[in-house]
Amino acid sequence: MSQFDAGPNQRFVTYTSGDSGGEVDTDGFVSRIAADADRRKLDGWRLLSSSVFPSRQTGTAGNVLFQSGGQRATMLSAVVVYVRDF
C-alpha cells in the first residue's frame, strides 16, 4: 500500500493483491480495502471513489493480447481516493 497527498484534505491510496500465480481472492482483496477504509474513518477520512483493475493477467497469448475473455487476473490493483471533511 502506498499513499500520496493529492491536494488539501485529499489522498490517493494504492493497494495491490500480490501475485501468487493463481486467481485473485477478490473477496479478501476488497475486504482488506474495506478494513483500511474503516480504520481511516476514525481519523476523519472517508472513501470517495475507487477503481480496481487487473495488474497481471495470464492465459494464451491471443487471449491476453486481444482481450478475448480467456484470460484471468493473477494480480489486482486498486486506487482509492479518500477525503477529509474539515
Side-chain angles (χ1 to χ4, degrees):
M1 173 176 40
S2 298
Q3 59 184 9
F4 308 91
D5 288 334
N9 298 314
Q10 296 180 59
R11 186 169 289 164
F12 291 160
V13 179
T14 61
Y15 303 86
T16 58
S17 65
D19 189 357
S20 65
E23 285 192 57
V24 176
D25 172 14
T26 53
D27 288 346
F29 181 64
V30 172
S31 175
R32 194 175 109 217
I33 294 170
D36 189 45
D38 193 46
R39 181 189 59 76
R40 290 172 185 273
K41 184 173 58 176
L42 299 174
D43 293 327
W45 294 95
R46 67 179 172 89
L47 192 153
L48 178 67
S49 69
S50 64
S51 281
V52 178
F53 50 92
S55 298
R56 188 165 294 149
Q57 296 176 320
T58 188
T60 66
N63 289 342
V64 172
L65 293 175
F66 301 110
Q67 300 293 306
S68 63
Q71 69 275 5
R72 58 190 173 103
T74 62
M75 185 174 175
L76 292 177
S77 294
V79 176
V80 176
V81 178
Y82 290 95
V83 295
R84 191 179 343 198
D85 297 322
F86 20 105

